[in-house]
Amino acid sequence: MATINFYLDKSDKKGFSPIHLRINCNSEQVKLSTGEKVKQEDFDKETQSVKENSERATEINYYLAYLRDRADDLLNNSYKKSYTNKELKSKLTGFVKAYKENHNVNIVREQVSLYGKPFTFVDLFAGAGGFSEGFLQAEHNNKFFDFLLANDINDNSELTHVVRYNHQLGLDADFLCQDITEPDFLDNLLSKINGKKVDVVCGGPPCQSFSLAGKRKKFDKKDDLFSHYLEVIKVLQPKYFVMENVKGILTKEKGKIKELIIKEINSIVDINEIPRLSSFVRSLKKTNLDNSFLIDCLVKRIEIEQYTDSKAEEVKELYIKTIDSKFKKLTPNIADYKTSKTDERISTIRHGFNLLVRNKEWEKLKRDIIREKDFCNIDNDYFIDSFTQFLTEIDSNEIINKIEIAFSKLNIAKDYKKACDDIISALKIYVLSIDDCLSLIRDYCNENQNNELDVIISDIRLYKIEAPFVANSSNYGVPQNRERVLFIGCRKDQKFISEIPATVKEEEKVSVFEALYDLDFIGNNQEAHQYQLVDISKQYNGTANKMKELLKKRSIDGKPIKTKGKTFAEWSRSGRLNGRFEKSTKPFYVRNEEALNNGEKVYDILHNHKTSNQGKDVIKRLDIILKEGDYKKAKEKLNECGLSSNKRNYNVLKPESQSPTVMTIPDDYIHYNSPRALTVREMARLQSFDDSFVFQGKRSTGGNNRKSELPQYTLVGNAVPPLMARAVAIEILKKIR
């Protein structure tokens, strides 16, 4: 039986004594320095801990308890039943070394360009940081990316970011933990960027409501996030932007959502060209005297694009008040005094203007209602229709529609019909995109003017984009068939990007076995803190040679190479980040922000490799499905054994091929060699995250907590695969000027 304790060595000149770990087992003894020192009077021998009133007591005690746990784990829970003193000391030294390397390191070191030319990027809807990770891995002809800022709404995204990029890699990249739909989001973003130029913006707006598999909801706040993303693009005007989404967005609303996104991208204008366009539109009044008012409205609408936030709202308000003023002058000609004060139709028009003038306030109210509706899970119930109807009623388009109906029911004399129609048309111009405005301007152009307009349109559109394209992550060295749609906007002064070339051919793709084989030493309800040797010959007996043939030496991006290559697993262990991060410290885990501030860090050799505690019946069910190779094929046998499940699907991983799309629920997948779900680390491998990338916070959660928490499994499942992001980043580096 082994005993584990701590003792103090002799004091140094300053009165501090080193703390040593001591293990006694079968008359043998192992001693190890912990790397920490305390004064004799601050150490409690009985409790084997530093006294609470001592400096850094919380941090040191957490570290000592962690070392004791790892020693106990090696002695009592390891697959290996015996160690020599040297082996035991070597393994424990790994944990101590990681702690020492991180101790006394500045939390944030200034990011320094060591060589070549840096380009900056910002990662919106960052989640775990898949885009960030891929962009930092990218390098081409001495060009690389500097990380300025990431954004997400969840605390655990921020914690994972801070630990990975600030503590571990020592970057000064900032994090904005705020909802992009908040009114002051842009102001806060600009404040954090602090005047730095942003070359690239990347991000994947959450899109559950776009998904082919999920329910489609009306007024789901996630549906409109792309427009807020584009608002950021309008303000930052980066050289390139990348927007990632699910494949379902291409067919949503019969393709109308995709068309809307393209139209919105085409509506991002070069504000330096707006005076030129305004001048051209004004000139059209000479040949369109009867439509002078509408042409003036088009000019005003176009000029709104010059402004952001409060100034834009001020100009919009003035636009509506100008039309309202025209209506007030017109009112005596279409209704007598008594009617104008009491008539429902006139009141609808007048009050409609009031609603439109207060558009900013109504939009804020709409955001708050949608947020609360989503939080309360309002959907498929007696409440949803009422919520949907109200949110529809306060939309600007619906308000304008009611004003139009009110006008149509008035008995307006022929002499004033054109003026009334102009008011309605002017309101419709107010809600048009710039792209739609440009189409409308053509109605007032002759052939020569159309040709001039074509030139102006070409110059005023800030971004070039033809169509989104579908990218499969397995084409970029990721062991997963994950199809995603990429919208890549290229600023007009940059080279055009229409696709991201594959880095591997179909027959070269990375297999599930290549990604996971070296982690296959863990059973049900177990956690591993360090790597263990996996003997393929013993595990697979007669098929060992076949399994070994799946292992290939590859370049970082998955391309098979014969010299200087590594297996996918070796790349995952050694890391894919370039030479700028050679001084990065050892990875660590913390359970929350408070633990980080208290120094309660876990410096394991291997992180996030813990299996779920699944019951006997679940294991039997998984075993049957695994042996049948398919859930549908196994259903009959499961029924016979009384092990049927209401679960919609189980995905049995095939070692020789790629995994299906990694989602956020581990129970959806069955390991190819064991009747169990995957660990966070295994799912991270399938996403192509390095092992040094530690997912922080809770491992999993359920129920309503999923609305407010983002556990490790969700962080992994929602992420952009870093190797796919790397391929995107390299293509940008090839083209960027």
Side-chain angles (χ1 to χ4, degrees):
M1 183 68 182
T3 60
I4 305 167
N5 58 30
F6 296 98
Y7 70 94
L8 299 186
D9 207 344
K10 293 178 181 179
S11 301
D12 60 19
K13 292 179 181 178
K14 294 182 180 180
F16 286 90
S17 300
I19 305 175
H20 288 276
L21 171 70
R22 178 168 53 204
I23 299 173
N24 291 306
C25 184
N26 299 328
S27 301
E28 294 289 336
Q29 192 174 83
V30 175
K31 295 179 181 179
L32 188 73
S33 172
T34 65
E36 278 293 352
K37 294 180 179 181
V38 293
K39 291 188 175 181
Q40 293 275 353
E41 61 268 24
D42 288 337
F43 190 76
D44 189 326
K45 292 181 181 179
E46 187 173 332
T47 61
Q48 293 279 287
S49 63
V50 178
K51 294 175 182 177
E52 288 185 7
N53 58 354
S54 304
E55 187 179 357
R56 294 180 52 241
T58 302
E59 178 184 350
I60 296 173
N61 285 334
Y62 188 86
Y63 168 57
L64 296 181
Y66 155 74
L67 271 184
R68 183 193 296 274
D69 286 344
R70 292 300 172 266
D72 181 69
D73 205 43
L74 284 170
L75 292 166
N76 299 314
N77 298 319
S78 176
Y79 76 107
K80 189 171 179 178
K81 298 306 178 186
S82 63
Y83 291 99
T84 65
N85 285 7
K86 187 176 180 180
E87 285 176 325
L88 192 59
K89 193 167 184 176
S90 174
K91 288 186 178 293
L92 289 172
T93 298
F95 298 118
V96 173
K97 185 180 179 184
Y99 175 79
K100 285 181 178 178
E101 285 187 16
N102 283 272
H103 197 53
N104 294 327
V105 171
N106 290 331
I107 290 179
V108 178
R109 301 183 295 279
E110 188 69 23
Q111 185 172 337
V112 179
S113 303
L114 298 184
Y115 56 90
K117 180 168 178 55
F119 291 92
T120 59
F121 78 95
V122 165
D123 187 357
L124 303 178
F125 307 100
F131 261 130
S132 304
E133 197 72 7
F135 269 64
L136 288 175
Q137 290 175 12
E139 185 182 354
H140 179 75
N141 285 348
N142 286 335
K143 293 188 290 186
F144 59 95
F145 283 106
D146 274 351
F147 191 6
L148 293 184
L149 175 141
N151 149 256
D152 207 285
I153 62 171
N154 192 273
D155 292 340
N156 202 30
S157 288
E158 181 174 19
L159 180 64
T160 299
H161 167 100
V162 168
V163 170
R164 174 64 169 173
Y165 299 113
N166 299 148
H167 286 255
Q168 191 184 341
L169 298 187
L171 306 184
D172 60 343
D174 214 329
F175 195 95
L176 176 57
C177 193
Q178 186 182 11
D179 190 329
I180 197 172
T181 65
E182 295 287 340
D184 61 347
F185 176 85
L186 270 169
D187 289 337
N188 293 334
L189 178 70
L190 292 172
S191 175
K192 282 185 174 288
I193 291 172
N194 195 26
K196 293 177 182 175
K197 181 183 67 173
V198 178
D199 292 311
V200 180
V201 174
C202 55
C207 46
Q208 282 87 333
S209 52
F210 293 163
S211 177
L212 292 170
K215 294 181 181 179
R216 290 178 171 83
K217 304 177 185 179
K218 288 187 177 180
F219 294 108
D220 186 317
K221 69 174 184 175
K222 298 179 181 67
D223 254 0
D224 195 37
L225 288 175
F226 82 86
S227 64
H228 289 279
Y229 177 91
L230 293 183
E231 282 300 316
V232 176
I233 302 302
K234 287 178 185 178
V235 174
L236 296 182
Q237 300 202 346
K239 292 182 172 78
Y240 292 91
F241 69 84
V242 184
M243 190 168 75
E244 177 256 8
N245 234 304
V246 294
K247 192 178 177 182
I249 199 172
L250 297 180
T251 53
K252 184 174 173 65
E253 305 296 336
K254 297 181 180 179
K256 290 180 181 178
I257 297 297
K258 178 197 73 175
E259 292 170 9
L260 177 63
I261 293 174
I262 296 293
K263 186 174 285 187
E264 288 293 322
I265 292 172
N266 285 331
S267 292
I268 301 174
V269 298
D270 182 349
I271 59 175
N272 296 318
E273 295 287 341
I274 285 179
R276 180 181 166 198
L277 177 62
S278 297
S279 178
F280 171 80
V281 176
R282 282 194 190 93
S283 73
L284 298 177
K285 288 198 289 186
K286 297 174 185 177
T287 52
N288 293 275
L289 295 175
D290 290 345
N291 291 308
S292 292
F293 172 70
L294 292 181
I295 289 172
D296 283 337
C297 287
L298 275 167
V299 171
K300 289 187 178 78
R301 169 64 191 89
I302 289 163
E303 290 179 343
I304 289 173
E305 295 300 308
Q306 297 175 101
Y307 309 109
T308 57
D309 298 342
S310 58
K311 180 63 177 176
E313 294 302 327
E314 185 182 315
V315 176
K316 287 179 183 178
E317 187 177 320
L318 183 61
Y319 182 102
I320 298 298
K321 285 182 175 178
T322 300
I323 303 171
D324 187 19
S325 178
K326 184 178 178 68
F327 173 68
K328 285 174 180 175
K329 291 177 182 177
L330 184 65
T331 303
N333 298 313
I334 61 175
D336 58 50
Y337 180 78
K338 183 180 179 181
T339 302
S340 70
K341 294 297 180 183
T342 60
D343 188 83
E344 184 181 36
R345 296 162 297 180
I346 298 294
S347 294
T348 296
I349 297 167
R350 187 177 290 130
H351 298 163
F353 284 123
N354 293 341
L355 289 169
L356 291 171
V357 165
R358 300 278 293 174
N359 180 65
K360 182 181 179 181
E361 287 71 19
W362 285 112
E363 283 298 316
K364 183 180 183 303
L365 179 62
K366 185 195 282 189
R367 284 195 302 269
D368 290 342
I369 291 172
I370 291 172
R371 188 180 293 112
E372 288 300 316
K373 180 185 80 66
D374 287 354
F375 185 81
C376 295
N377 230 4
I378 303 300
D379 183 36
N380 192 31
D381 51 35
Y382 293 160
F383 303 107
I384 187 64
D385 289 343
S386 300
F387 275 91
T388 300
Q389 184 177 348
F390 177 70
L391 290 166
T392 301
E393 295 293 329
I394 62 175
D395 184 75
S396 294
N397 286 288
E398 186 60 28
I399 293 168
I400 293 169
N401 183 49
K402 281 189 167 54
I403 291 173
E404 184 175 10
I405 291 170
F407 268 113
S408 70
K409 292 185 176 180
L410 287 168
N411 189 19
I412 299 169
K414 186 178 179 181
D415 290 348
Y416 303 104
K417 187 75 168 59
K418 172 76 164 61
C420 291
D421 289 345
D422 281 357
I423 287 173
I424 296 166
S425 296
L427 291 176
K428 290 181 178 179
I429 288 170
Y430 171 72
V431 292
L432 288 181
S433 68
I434 285 295
D435 201 52
D436 287 330
C437 285
L438 294 172
S439 297
L440 184 58
I441 290 168
R442 290 195 185 279
D443 293 343
Y444 303 107
C445 293
N446 58 37
E447 187 175 346
N448 289 333
Q449 290 167 333
N450 258 324
N451 293 334
E452 186 179 350
L453 180 61
D454 286 338
V455 175
I456 294 173
I457 288 174
S458 177
D459 291 341
I460 200 169
R461 281 183 174 154
L462 191 60
Y463 290 96
K464 295 173 285 187
I465 184 168
E466 291 177 354
F469 59 92
V470 178
N472 189 332
S473 61
S474 65
N475 290 330
Y476 308 103
V478 182
Q480 175 192 177
N481 280 315
R482 186 187 191 94
E483 288 189 315
R484 285 297 184 266
V485 171
L486 294 177
F487 294 82
I488 300 183
C490 314
R491 206 170 69 188
K492 63 181 184 179
D493 60 334
Q494 300 295 315
K495 289 185 178 180
F496 186 65
I497 296 175
S498 59
E499 64 174 347
I500 307 299
T503 61
V504 295
K505 298 175 183 176
E506 185 66 32
E507 65 275 13
E508 296 173 339
K509 290 184 176 183
V510 179
S511 68
V512 167
F513 185 77
E514 289 183 81
L516 304 184
Y517 83 95
D518 66 318
L519 297 176
D520 188 15
F521 53 78
I522 194 168
N524 185 54
N525 193 28
Q526 290 183 348
E527 182 174 11
H529 306 290
Q530 56 189 343
Y531 300 99
Q532 295 175 12
L533 180 65
V534 172
D535 190 329
I536 296 176
S537 298
K538 287 184 179 179
Q539 277 195 351
Y540 293 93
N541 293 323
T543 60
N545 288 336
K546 180 183 175 183
M547 303 310 285
K548 287 178 181 178
E549 286 174 2
L550 293 174
L551 302 180
K552 296 180 176 67
K553 294 289 184 180
R554 301 176 179 271
S555 59
I556 288 179
D557 56 13
K559 191 76 177 173
I561 52 174
K562 293 180 179 179
T563 58
K564 295 184 179 179
K566 298 178 185 178
T567 65
F568 183 92
E570 287 170 343
W571 277 116
S572 298
R573 288 197 192 198
S574 63
R576 299 174 176 90
L577 291 170
N578 58 45
R580 289 190 297 145
F581 306 103
E582 285 181 351
K583 293 184 179 180
S584 63
T585 56
K586 296 292 184 183
F588 64 86
Y589 164 81
V590 289
R591 66 179 183 274
N592 53 36
E593 185 182 3
E594 183 183 1
L596 178 63
N597 293 334
N598 289 337
E600 298 172 4
K601 305 171 185 177
V602 175
Y603 296 99
D604 283 336
I605 311 302
L606 173 64
H607 292 269
N608 303 129
H609 198 37
K610 180 179 181 180
T611 52
S612 304
N613 185 12
Q614 296 177 309
K616 291 181 180 178
D617 284 350
V618 173
I619 294 172
K620 287 179 183 176
R621 180 185 301 124
L622 298 184
D623 192 41
I624 290 171
I625 299 170
L626 178 60
K627 286 173 180 173
E628 291 292 324
D630 183 83
Y631 183 38
K632 289 180 181 178
K633 292 179 182 176
K635 282 188 174 181
E636 185 177 339
K637 193 166 185 179
L638 290 173
N639 287 330
E640 291 174 3
C641 300
L643 294 170
S644 60
S645 171
N646 292 325
K647 194 169 177 63
R648 184 175 58 86
N649 194 29
Y650 286 99
N651 293 292
V652 180
L653 297 184
K654 308 298 182 186
E656 70 283 354
S657 59
Q658 292 72 50
S659 80
T661 301
V662 169
M663 306 296 277
T664 59
I665 301 173
D667 294 348
D668 286 351
Y669 310 92
I670 302 175
H671 192 277
Y672 59 85
N673 194 40
S674 307
R676 63 171 178 84
L678 301 181
T679 67
V680 170
R681 180 50 53 203
E682 287 170 324
M683 289 179 73
R685 283 276 188 95
L686 295 178
Q687 283 276 60
S688 75
F689 279 96
D690 290 347
D691 289 3
S692 62
F693 191 108
V694 181
F695 297 87
Q696 308 295 334
K698 286 185 177 180
R699 188 168 146 272
S700 62
T701 192
N704 284 332
N705 289 338
R706 286 179 180 155
K707 293 180 180 294
S708 57
E709 295 177 352
L710 205 68
Q712 295 169 14
Y713 276 115
T714 305
L715 280 173
V716 176
N718 285 342
V720 174
L723 279 181
M724 186 170 84
R726 180 181 183 275
V728 172
I730 287 177
E731 191 64 18
I732 291 174
L733 288 176
K734 287 178 180 178
K735 302 287 177 66
I736 198 166
R737 296 168 178 165

